[in-house]
Amino acid sequence: RVTRLASGAEMQVCTGRPEGETCACREGWTGENCESYCPGAGPPALAVDPGSIEAVLCGGRGTCPPPGSTLAQCECDEGYANTGPGGTCEPATCAAGTCPPSRGTGAFDAA
């Protein structure tokens, strides 16, 4: 499957169907025919400054669901939430005592 970007360039996002009906999608693309993309992939990521967080798949702190998924939303690492620019993963905010152990303690955890 070839997708035409706003710039007029074309990008192949379905790199084959070795698993039957589901495309083998490029990293950051998902859906039965690789029609959806996660934050940090696709046309929006190509239109921003390459050094910005929006140009990194899931902000570098998560993964895109596998091909065939109907939800193109980042699955963020522990301690991160998809609340960053464009749905990228950023450090999660925690209410008092709710931060996971990997985050340590936050300002709200002080006694």
Side-chain angles (χ1 to χ4, degrees), residues 91-99 103-111:
T93 55
C94 310
T98 63
C99 287
R103 286 284 308 282
T105 56
F108 296 110
D109 293 326

Side-chain angles (χ1 to χ4, degrees), residues 3-11 43 46-47:
T3 297
R4 183 174 300 276
L5 307 177
S7 66
E10 294 182 341
M11 174 186 279
L46 297 173

Side-chain angles (χ1 to χ4, degrees), residues 45-93:
L46 297 173
V48 297
D49 176 9
S52 71
I53 196 72
E54 294 96 339
V56 179
L57 183 62
C58 295
R61 293 297 189 160
T63 57
C64 192
S69 175
T70 58
L71 183 64
Q73 180 176 335
C74 296
E75 295 173 1
C76 299
D77 297 341
E78 182 179 355
Y80 290 82
N82 57 359
T83 55
T88 56
C89 300
E90 66 178 0
T93 55

